[in-house]
């Protein structure tokens, strides 16, 4: 056996020995081969120890020795160690080849180191053996406790879950070498959490071991321990916490806090009013605590609804209550969960109930009429103060307040304190046959309490209207009419409406019956027919006939009226038809109507033409006040705005009195018109207007207005017309005139030439006519 094989055998034996630390790879032996055709004896390295345990507390720990088989112990060889960690972690004795660890090693950081070794002959300085690699393995010791990977742990499990229900699995990790004995073999156990949960020692699975009630405790803290070395002495351990929360299930039914609830309701409360709340308690939460309230006895007066926000029961008034009718109510309410699974029905057997007593509160209510409405009848023509009927209202409250009545929306009736309705004026059925109004009843001690009731009064008919002809009083008869010929049917009307039906009777008056050209026949249906009582009529001799017809009704007493019927004789020609007479009348009336329309249209056109003319003249006056010299002068109108005292004068003078027609302004006497016209006639020989004359005229008029003591004290507008120097007529304004046109002598117009001939004729004749 060569040296390498022997060394390998020895190392294998050491590895199997429990007292020797685990070594690394077997020694790598390199055979030294000599050059040349002859082969030398194989030589190599000799190793004694090959591993080092971790966590050594000594500062220099002997790992092993490397030695060449050529070393005969004369100390002529020098050993060298090469590789990572040499000098800092490992060191070698150059003479003996012993290898040492210089510091504590940690297998979890680095489990093996690869080094190289050389041996040099000191005498020759050459390598005795070729460089060789070897491995130093760090053997494991149990120096790491187990650690949990995903802590903290939290699990949620439904309450009341059966035993064995899975909760959660916890897992721990050990950094030691799992192949080195039991250093990394873990066992799990509970330090806290029994008896509610249990754990599987090898898997770390936590399960329910007994039922848990969330309403008693909603979460549990479980502490789990993990030990290595399968729990043997000297094992290391680690712990973690698991929070087990219980989710709610519907295992509790709602229960009322009170066995009796007392509520009150006003008798004035309207249906739909909430009168109170009741509350049930459910130990569950969320959807499992949602509940519904109901009334067991199916009450017609009250109901209960659920407030989804507060889970309270709201008692609702379904029908109006009356204190005077019933003062107390007793109802029974129950409550149930809204969502209950079949597996939890056992917890909800028998719904919880409670009693609700409702007290009705008395309120001051308005008076109540005995009837919802009143219907009365009264004969028309009844005198003032006639009794129509009686209404009655009472106060249902305990104090029984007196009632006062009044009539609303009617001036034809009044009412006394006893509720008796009387008329305030006579009633006429033919004007109004039905009266609709209201009567109010007010409590004497509380006028705010008022109620009303509708009242209907029918005015009954009496026979107070005589019948009258309903047809046209004028008819026609042909000249050549024969005896017994029908002229026209007539009818009558009566405003009365007797209960047994209306029947009218027609007769001629006594005078017409004895001597009449016509007769009347009653048709017994409220109509009659007019017949001729002779043959032939004359339009020239007797063109119109007047006959008196008596019409009587069947009332009690019966009323009769006399109606005059006009019959016109008409030349019907050969047609012997009175329709042609009616057509002639119609044509005449239509012609008259057309003439009236044409006349109205002409008047409208004239009015509009006059308005447009006035507007045109005003617009023309606004264009210029003074015509350009050289143009023909017409009538010129000058307007001056004389400023009076303004608004301040209204405080010193009564404007109404100033405007009164009784206050007459004393006007200045008119100057001799004939002399002025003659002087103007001489001035008309000049060519064109003279601006100096206009200026003088304006100044004179202004001075007259300022110095006139009769001038009004308020603002006024004075208008003067001046013809200019080219006109012999002078001013035609009547502002300075003190006499009327009837008192003026216009004979001087005859002296003005042919241009004023027409004026002289008109005014001269008018004066003469007035004088006569």
């Amino acid at each position: 056996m060569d040296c390498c094989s022997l060394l390998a055998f020895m190392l294998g034996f050491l590895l199997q020995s429990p007292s020797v630390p685990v070594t690394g790879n077997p020694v790598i032996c390199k055979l030294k081969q000599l050059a040349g055709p002859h082969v030398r004896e194989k030589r190599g390295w000799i190793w004694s120890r090959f591993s080092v345990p971790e966590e050594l507390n000594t500062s220099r720990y002997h790992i092993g020795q490397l030695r060449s088989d050529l070393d005969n112990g004369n100390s002529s060889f020098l050993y060298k160690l090469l590789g990572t960690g040499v000098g800092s972690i490992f060191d070698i004795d150059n003479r003996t080849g012993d290898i040492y660890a210089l510091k504590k090693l940690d297998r979890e950081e680095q489990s093996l180191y690869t080094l190289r070794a050389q041996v040099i002959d000191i005498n020759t300085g050459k390598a005795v053996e070729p460089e060789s690699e070897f491995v130093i393995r760090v053997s494991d010791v149990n120096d790491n406790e187990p650690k949990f990977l995903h802590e903290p742990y939290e699990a949620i499990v439904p309450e009341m879950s059966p035993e064995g229900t899975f909760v959660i699995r916890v897992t721990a990790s050990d950094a030691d070498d799992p192949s080195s004995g039991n250093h990394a073999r873990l066992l799990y156990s509970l330090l806290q959490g029994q008896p509610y949960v249990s754990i599987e020692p090898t898997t770390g699975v936590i399960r329910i071991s007994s039922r848990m009630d969330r309403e008693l405790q909603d979460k549990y803290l479980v502490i789990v321990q993990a030990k290595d070395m399968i729990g043997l002495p000297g094992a290391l351990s680690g712990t973690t916490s698991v929070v087990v929360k219980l989710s709610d299930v519907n295992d509790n039914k709602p229960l009322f806090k009170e066995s009796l609830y007392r509520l009150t309701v006003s008798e004035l409360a309207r249906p739909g009013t909430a009168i109170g709340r009741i509350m049930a308690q459910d130990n569950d939460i969320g959807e499992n605590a949602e509940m519904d309230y109901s009334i067991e006895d199916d009450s017609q007066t009250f109901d209960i609804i659920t407030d989804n926000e507060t889970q309270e029961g709201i008692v609702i008034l379904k029908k109006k209550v009356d204190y005077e009718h019933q003062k107390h109510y007793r109802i029974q309410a129950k409550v149930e969960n809204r969502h209950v699974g079949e597996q939890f029905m056992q917890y909800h057997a028998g719904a919880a109930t409670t009693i609700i007593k409702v007290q009705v509160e008395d309120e001051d209510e308005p008076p109540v009429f005995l009837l919802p409405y009143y219907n009365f009848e009264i004969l028309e023509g009844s005198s003032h103060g006639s009794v129509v009927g009686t209404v009655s209202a009472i106060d249902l409250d305990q104090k029984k307040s007196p009632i006062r009545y009044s009539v609303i929306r009617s001036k034809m009736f009044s009412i006394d304190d006893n509720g008796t309705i009387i008329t305030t004026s006579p009633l006429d059925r033919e004007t109004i046959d039905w009266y609709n109004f209201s009567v109010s009843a007010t409590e004497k001690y509380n006028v705010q309490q008022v109620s009303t009731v509708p009242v209907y009064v029918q005015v009954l008919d009496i026979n107070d209207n005589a019948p009258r002809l309903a047809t046209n009083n004028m008819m026609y008869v042909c000249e050549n009419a024969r005896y017994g010929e029908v002229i026209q049917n007539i009818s009558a009307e009566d405003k009365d409406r007797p209960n047994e039906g209306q029947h009218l009777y027609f007769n001629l008056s006594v005078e017409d019956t004895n001597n009449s050209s016509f007769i009347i026949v009653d048709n017994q249906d409220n109509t009659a027919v007019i017949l001729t009582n002779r043959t032939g009529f004359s339009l020239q001799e007797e063109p119109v006939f007047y006959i008196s017809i008596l019409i009587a009704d069947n009332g009690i007493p019966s009323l009769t009226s006399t109606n005059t019927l006009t019959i016109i004789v008409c030349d019907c020609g050969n047609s012997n038809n009175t329709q042609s007479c009616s057509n002639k009348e119609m044509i005449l009336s239509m012609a008259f109507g057309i003439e009236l329309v044409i006349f109205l249209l002409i008047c409208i056109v004239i009015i509009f033409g006059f308005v447009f003319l006035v507007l045109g003249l005003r617009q023309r006056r606004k264009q210029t006040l003074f015509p350009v010299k050289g143009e023909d002068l017409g009538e010129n109108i000058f307007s001056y705005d004389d400023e009076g005292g303004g608004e301040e004068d209204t405080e010193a003078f009564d404007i109404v009195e100033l405007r009164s027609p009784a206050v007459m302004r004393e006007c200045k006497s008119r100057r001799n018109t004939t002399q002025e016209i003659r002087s103007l006639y001489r001035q008309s020989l000049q060519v064109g207007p003279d601006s100096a004359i206009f200026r003088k005229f304006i100044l004179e008029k202004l001075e007259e207005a300022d110095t006139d003591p009769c001038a009004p004290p308020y603002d006024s507008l004075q208008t003067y017309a001046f013809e200019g120097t080219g006109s012999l007529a002078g001013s035609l304004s009547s502002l300075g005139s003190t006499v009327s046109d009837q008192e003026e002598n216009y004979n001087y117009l005859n002296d003005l030439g042919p241009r004023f001939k027409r004026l002289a004729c008109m005014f001269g004749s008018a004066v003469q006519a007035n004088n006569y």
Side-chain angles (χ1 to χ4, degrees):
M1 180 180 296
D2 56 15
C3 64
C4 288
S5 300
L6 181 61
L7 185 59
F9 175 77
M10 294 175 65
L11 288 174
F13 177 76
L14 292 174
L15 288 173
Q16 297 298 325
S17 176
S19 61
V20 179
V22 178
T23 61
N25 292 331
V27 175
I28 301 174
C29 297
K30 291 189 177 181
L31 299 179
K32 183 178 179 182
Q33 298 182 359
L34 301 178
H38 301 285
V39 178
R40 291 183 54 187
E41 183 181 356
K42 295 181 181 179
R43 297 176 181 176
W45 296 95
I46 299 175
W47 307 86
S48 60
R49 300 184 70 176
F50 304 96
S51 64
V52 56
E54 63 175 338
E55 302 295 334
L56 292 176
N57 294 327
T58 179
S59 60
R60 188 175 178 83
Y61 177 74
H62 183 262
I63 299 175
Q65 184 183 21
L66 60 87
R67 181 174 174 271
S68 174
D69 58 354
L70 299 178
D71 188 359
N72 53 9
N74 56 5
S75 302
S76 61
F77 285 175
L78 180 66
Y79 293 93
K80 291 185 178 180
L81 192 62
L82 304 174
T84 303
V86 175
S88 60
I89 301 176
F90 303 101
D91 194 11
I92 189 170
D93 188 339
N94 295 335
R95 294 295 183 180
T96 63
D98 292 322
I99 301 174
Y100 298 92
L102 302 179
K103 65 177 184 179
K104 185 185 294 187
L105 301 179
D106 189 356
R107 189 198 67 84
E108 284 71 40
E109 292 183 1
Q110 189 169 346
S111 61
L112 57 87
Y113 296 89
T114 301
L115 302 177
R116 301 188 309 274
Q118 287 183 346
V119 59
I120 300 173
D121 190 346
I122 298 175
N123 297 324
T124 62
K126 295 182 180 180
V128 179
E129 294 285 351
E131 183 177 300
S132 177
E133 286 186 354
F134 64 95
V135 175
I136 299 176
R137 183 179 298 276
V138 181
S139 61
D140 183 52
V141 296
N142 191 19
D143 61 341
N144 291 279
E145 69 275 6
K147 292 184 179 180
F148 289 91
L149 301 179
H150 305 293
E151 61 178 354
Y153 292 92
E154 183 176 302
I156 299 176
V157 63
E159 64 171 329
M160 308 304 291
S161 297
E163 296 181 10
T165 301
F166 174 84
V167 179
I168 196 172
R169 179 177 183 176
V170 296
T171 304
S173 176
D174 196 327
D176 293 325
D177 188 2
S179 63
S180 178
N182 297 319
H183 293 175
R185 293 181 65 183
L186 305 179
L187 288 179
Y188 298 94
S189 62
L190 293 179
L191 298 181
Q192 180 178 323
Q194 300 91 346
Y196 304 106
V197 294
S198 62
I199 189 169
E200 296 177 359
T202 58
T203 62
V205 174
I206 300 176
R207 297 182 183 276
I208 297 295
S209 59
S210 64
R211 291 179 180 270
M212 293 178 287
D213 190 355
R214 187 200 65 82
E215 285 72 38
L216 298 178
Q217 186 175 344
D218 59 350
K219 67 180 179 180
Y220 295 83
L221 178 62
V222 179
I223 298 178
V224 181
Q225 183 185 60
K227 279 188 177 183
D228 58 11
M229 294 291 290
I230 59 175
L232 296 175
L236 302 178
S237 65
T239 60
T240 188
S241 62
V242 179
V243 178
V244 179
K245 295 182 178 180
L246 300 180
S247 60
D248 184 60
V249 297
N250 198 356
D251 59 340
N252 293 276
K253 67 179 181 181
L255 299 173
F256 284 103
K257 291 183 177 181
E258 305 289 341
S259 60
L260 176 64
Y261 289 88
R262 297 183 183 274
L263 304 177
T264 60
V265 60
S266 172
E267 64 176 338
L268 298 181
R270 297 181 178 179
T273 303
I275 65 173
R277 291 173 176 253
I278 60 176
M279 182 67 180
Q281 183 67 41
D282 193 334
N283 292 329
D284 296 324
I285 59 175
E287 184 181 83
N288 296 324
E290 295 180 0
M291 59 191 74
D292 290 321
Y293 297 86
S294 60
I295 294 180
E296 282 193 331
D297 54 1
D298 193 19
S299 173
Q300 300 296 323
T301 308
F302 301 96
D303 194 7
I304 299 180
I305 62 175
T306 303
D307 187 340
N308 293 324
E309 296 294 332
T310 63
Q311 294 302 312
E312 293 178 304
I314 305 175
V315 182
I316 302 296
L317 181 65
K318 290 174 58 178
K319 186 175 67 175
K320 191 175 178 62
V321 294
D322 187 3
Y323 175 82
E324 288 72 25
H325 180 262
Q326 186 173 351
K327 301 178 178 62
H328 303 280
Y329 291 88
R330 184 182 184 276
I331 56 178
Q332 184 172 359
K334 68 177 181 178
V335 61
E336 295 176 315
N337 274 133
R338 188 173 299 171
H339 309 284
V340 181
E342 294 184 1
Q343 66 274 25
F344 301 109
M345 291 299 295
Q346 56 180 337
Y347 301 106
H348 296 268
T353 61
T354 187
I355 300 300
I356 302 175
K357 290 187 176 182
V358 181
Q359 172 70 38
V360 181
E361 294 181 342
D362 187 24
E363 300 289 347
D364 191 4
E365 297 178 281
V368 177
F369 284 93
L370 301 182
L371 296 177
Y373 65 91
Y374 290 87
N375 194 351
F376 301 115
E377 296 178 349
I378 186 173
L379 291 174
E380 65 173 326
S382 299
S383 61
H384 171 75
S386 298
V387 175
V388 178
T390 302
V391 299
S392 180
I394 58 174
D395 183 13
L396 298 178
D397 300 323
Q398 292 181 346
K399 59 183 179 180
K400 302 298 181 182
S401 175
I403 305 300
R404 293 178 178 176
Y405 300 94
S406 60
V407 175
I408 303 174
R409 300 193 310 270
S410 179
K411 298 181 179 180
M412 303 298 293
F413 305 93
S414 63
I415 190 170
D416 58 17
D417 291 339
N418 295 325
T420 301
I421 302 174
I422 59 177
T423 60
T424 58
S425 60
L427 306 179
D428 186 6
R429 190 204 64 82
E430 286 71 36
T431 303
I432 301 177
D433 55 349
W434 277 97
Y435 288 90
N436 303 329
F437 57 92
S438 298
V439 172
S440 64
T442 307
E443 291 186 8
K444 182 178 180 181
Y445 301 136
N446 186 0
V447 295
Q448 301 298 326
Q449 300 298 333
V450 181
S451 60
T452 60
V453 67
V455 178
Y456 308 99
V457 177
Q458 182 182 11
V459 182
L460 300 179
D461 183 56
I462 63 173
N463 194 22
D464 58 346
N465 291 277
R468 298 288 180 182
L469 276 179
T471 56
N472 189 7
N473 291 2
M474 184 173 62
M475 56 187 62
Y476 301 91
V477 61
C478 294
E479 284 185 297
N480 54 357
R482 297 180 181 179
Y483 174 80
E485 185 175 332
V486 176
I487 298 178
Q488 188 174 342
N489 284 322
I490 61 174
S491 62
E493 61 180 8
D494 192 341
K495 294 182 179 180
D496 296 322
R497 293 291 182 270
N499 295 330
E500 62 276 6
Q502 192 175 72
H503 187 74
L504 304 180
Y505 304 95
F506 298 85
N507 288 293
L508 292 177
S509 62
V510 177
E511 296 81 0
D512 292 336
T513 301
N514 298 330
N515 185 15
S516 176
S517 299
F518 305 93
I519 59 175
I520 187 169
V521 177
D522 195 336
N523 295 327
Q524 302 298 319
D525 59 354
N526 296 339
T527 62
V529 62
I530 305 298
L531 304 175
T532 57
N533 198 23
R534 70 181 187 182
T535 301
F537 295 88
S538 175
L539 179 61
Q540 289 77 18
E541 297 178 358
E542 198 172 7
V544 179
F545 292 88
Y546 300 97
I547 61 176
S548 297
I549 299 177
L550 300 179
I551 306 176
D553 58 21
N554 60 336
I556 301 173
S558 178
L559 297 180
T560 304
S561 66
T562 302
N563 302 265
T564 301
L565 189 63
T566 303
I567 301 177
I568 301 175
V569 179
C570 176
D571 184 5
C572 301
N574 297 327
S575 62
N576 197 23
N577 188 358
T578 59
Q579 185 64 33
S580 59
C581 302
S582 301
N583 293 337
K584 291 179 182 180
E585 182 181 358
M586 184 180 300
I587 292 173
L588 292 176
S589 61
M590 290 180 60
F592 177 76
I594 294 173
E595 292 178 356
L596 180 61
V597 171
I598 294 174
F599 175 76
L600 292 176
L601 291 176
I602 293 174
C603 292
I604 292 172
V605 171
I606 293 174
I607 292 173
F608 275 103
F610 179 76
V611 171
F612 290 147
L613 178 61
V614 171
L615 293 177
L617 291 176
R618 289 184 178 180
Q619 186 66 24
R620 182 177 178 183
R621 292 173 182 175
K622 292 180 180 180
Q623 291 179 356
T624 177
L625 292 176
F626 300 98
V628 182
K629 185 179 290 186
E631 297 178 354
D632 295 337
L633 292 177
E635 182 180 54
N636 297 284
I637 301 175
F638 300 89
S639 301
Y640 304 93
D641 296 332
D642 296 337
E643 286 289 334
E647 289 77 2
E648 297 177 356
D649 290 339
T650 61
E651 300 178 359
F653 298 92
D654 187 359
I655 304 301
V656 178
E657 293 297 332
L658 293 173
R659 294 177 178 175
S660 176
V663 180
M664 299 297 294
R665 177 182 172 183
E666 182 180 356
C667 301
K668 296 182 179 181
S669 61
R670 184 169 180 174
R671 292 173 291 182
N672 192 337
T673 307
T674 306
Q675 296 178 0
E676 289 182 356
I677 293 178
R678 291 177 180 176
S679 63
L680 291 175
Y681 179 77
R682 290 192 297 268
Q683 294 176 6
S684 64
L685 299 177
Q686 300 177 6
V687 180
D690 188 355
S691 59
I693 296 176
F694 287 100
R695 189 180 301 109
K696 181 179 179 182
F697 173 77
I698 292 172
L699 292 177
E700 287 179 356
K701 294 300 180 181
L702 180 60
E703 183 179 2
E704 289 180 4
D706 292 339
T707 59
D708 190 357
C710 297
Y714 48 86
D715 295 346
S716 63
L717 175 65
Q718 299 189 20
T719 304
Y720 305 99
F722 184 67
E723 280 293 330
T725 59
S727 173
L728 298 179
S731 175
L732 298 179
S733 175
S734 62
L735 293 176
S737 177
T738 57
V739 294
S740 63
D741 291 340
Q742 289 81 2
E743 298 173 356
E744 182 67 21
N745 186 2
Y746 293 95
N747 293 328
Y748 62 89
L749 294 174
N750 295 317
D751 301 331
L752 297 180
R755 292 184 179 182
F756 296 90
K757 182 178 181 181
R758 179 63 176 172
L759 291 175
C761 180
M762 293 173 59
F763 287 90
S765 60
V767 170
Q768 293 176 3
N770 291 329
N771 292 334
Y772 289 111

